[in-house]
Amino acid sequence: MRVLFTTWAWPSHLYALVPLAWACRSAGHEVLVVSQPELLPLIERTGLPGTAVGKDVDGVGMVRGYVLPSKDDPTADRRAPRGGKGPRALQMFTAHADSMVDGVTETARGWGADVVVSEPTALAGPLAAAAAGIPAVRLLYGADLMARARPLLPGALAPLAERVGVDPEGYHPFGDFTIDPCPPGFQAPAPAEHPRVPMRYVPFNGPGTPPDPPLPLPRSGHRRVVITWGHTMARLDPALFLAGHAARALAALPGTEVVLAVTAAQRPLLGEVPDGVRVVLDAPLHTLLGSADLVVAHGGAGTVLTSLRAGLPLLLVPQLPDHAGHAARVLATGAGEVLTRDEASAERLRAEAAGLLDREEGAGRREAARTLRDGMLEQPAPATVVGELAERVVACAA
């Protein structure tokens, strides 16, 4: 089986594809990852074969336009206007699809792909699969925040469908089925008629190695908080990167050790780091969570699911719509707390973190996080899903 994976050029979206792509390779299938030229070096760093199509789109500039409003708003003059139904970012996703659809279609045909697997915002994937006459599969990277946009996609993508010879009303913009890595109870409500295949979430937080030397266990009687602000917010505007602010706030909590997980490029954005705060550079997040008690973060899907995979509650400060969507699922499942940017003063961060760390006050949040972890582990591993993928591809082709 030849499996073509596709995403637009955004690192976290690529990372969500990697575990299943490697599972396919390990099972003896051929794999190719296709995206815009900007992402090709990172694809190569995952060890997967890749190719570039289309042209780069100003993803950073477009994402910056969707930052949620706040009193202290560094991107207010660049905010995208709100209009219509569905996700605010649908215009951005269609722009990426416009860049990629011709190249993904040509690659699917020329390479002889048997199936196209795309992350949910890579809308060129299902179109290319339809044009090539092969099945399309969505691989979610978190909560299905695109579900409410489903009725809008045929109209939004009609010009692109016609360009590659596809009837805009005659294909499935969500593909033939969806692979879902979310644990039971976490997923946002979705149309019941669309087939879903559960898959265990396996963290891939980017190329890298564990810290050297390894993190020691927390001192006796101390709790450990890991703070991360992902890869997105620093790219949009340094003022949106709140990791240093959170570290300064939480370093004052008695009996608490703080670990800052950032990239080398983000290190200068932290500002003054209090004594005792350990800064870890370029280590995949999942390698830091074994001895943690709480994760404080921005609300990105990868960070949220990686933390829940470790059974850890979260304190989140979302500043983008999709981060707010994942933060809402954390809140709804009882696995953490959420603050807006305006609410996230040093005093409020300390108070919320103290509550989550408290043996009695935080017990319910910790139990909810562990329940989600257990639900993840009960789902079939990517290696198992590869077999079902192959069976469904054969069935779709019959």
Side-chain angles (χ1 to χ4, degrees):
M1 181 171 64
R2 290 191 162 200
V3 188
L4 185 67
F5 287 83
T6 187
T7 175
W8 54 279
W10 206 251
S12 57
H13 293 200
L14 168 66
Y15 296 162
L17 301 177
V18 170
L20 183 61
W22 265 111
C24 288
R25 289 203 77 189
S26 299
H29 301 292
E30 295 188 55
V31 166
L32 183 65
V33 183
V34 61
S35 186
Q36 294 147 322
E38 179 185 346
L39 197 64
L40 190 57
L42 189 55
I43 295 172
E44 293 171 347
R45 290 185 63 202
T46 70
L48 293 166
T51 190
V53 299
K55 61 182 180 180
D56 290 323
V57 174
D58 183 13
V60 170
M62 297 185 82
V63 173
R64 191 181 287 124
Y66 300 105
V67 173
L68 299 174
S70 63
K71 294 178 182 176
D72 175 20
D73 194 343
T75 62
D77 59 338
R78 293 166 283 183
R79 181 162 297 113
R82 187 175 184 87
K85 301 177 181 179
R88 292 184 60 203
L90 185 56
Q91 182 178 358
M92 175 178 67
F93 300 149
T94 55
H96 285 289
D98 180 46
S99 160
M100 297 176 59
V101 68
D102 300 290
V104 179
T105 299
E106 292 171 7
T107 303
R109 288 171 171 161
W111 186 61
D114 296 300
V115 60
V116 176
V117 179
S118 55
E119 49 90 0
T121 66
L123 302 178
L127 279 172
I134 57 177
V137 177
R138 279 197 321 158
L139 174 53
L140 301 180
Y141 51 72
D144 192 358
L145 304 179
M146 288 290 289
R148 65 192 179 99
R150 188 182 186 190
L152 307 176
L153 294 181
L157 299 173
L160 305 185
E162 293 169 356
R163 202 165 84 200
V164 295
V166 171
D167 178 359
E169 300 292 338
Y171 82 108
H172 303 293
F174 273 15
D176 294 274
F177 61 94
T178 291
I179 297 174
D180 188 351
C182 289
F186 185 86
Q187 186 54 266
E193 70 274 10
H194 185 66
R196 289 190 177 233
V197 174
M199 183 179 77
R200 184 182 310 162
Y201 178 75
V202 175
F204 182 83
N205 307 127
T209 57
D212 186 17
L215 285 177
L217 292 174
R219 288 171 290 167
S220 177
H222 283 64
R223 298 82 50 90
R224 175 168 289 167
V225 178
V226 174
I227 299 172
T228 179
W229 233 256
H231 297 276
T232 295
M233 305 314 299
R235 297 177 71 192
L236 304 184
D237 193 295
L240 301 173
F241 186 71
L242 305 182
H245 167 65
R248 286 185 288 275
L250 299 188
L253 275 176
T256 304
E257 297 180 3
V258 175
V259 175
L260 264 170
V262 297
T263 68
Q266 293 169 349
R267 178 62 179 88
L269 305 180
L270 293 175
E272 183 178 353
V273 177
D275 292 340
V277 172
R278 175 156 181 172
V279 179
V280 180
L281 302 180
D282 297 322
L285 179 62
H286 70 275
T287 67
L288 306 177
L289 300 185
S291 58
D293 298 285
L294 174 67
V295 175
V296 179
H298 59 302
T303 297
V304 167
L305 291 185
T306 297
S307 302
L308 294 177
R309 170 64 187 258
L312 297 176
L314 295 119
L315 174 56
L316 301 174
V317 186
Q319 298 174 88
L320 285 171
D322 63 311
H323 296 173
H326 285 91
R329 297 312 303 158
V330 168
L331 198 61
T333 57
E337 297 291 347
V338 179
L339 298 175
T340 67
R341 175 182 168 88
D342 290 333
E343 293 170 337
S345 64
E347 294 77 11
R348 187 71 184 277
L349 285 167
R350 274 195 297 274
E352 296 294 344
L356 289 164
L357 291 167
D358 183 82
R359 181 180 298 274
E360 295 184 2
E361 186 179 346
R365 304 302 193 199
R366 290 192 295 275
E367 180 61 27
R370 288 193 292 265
T371 297
L372 291 171
R373 175 199 61 196
D374 294 344
M376 281 184 178
L377 296 177
E378 290 172 358
Q379 299 199 128
T384 301
V385 173
V386 171
E388 184 163 355
L389 174 64
E391 290 176 4
R392 285 176 175 261
V393 168
V394 170
C396 289

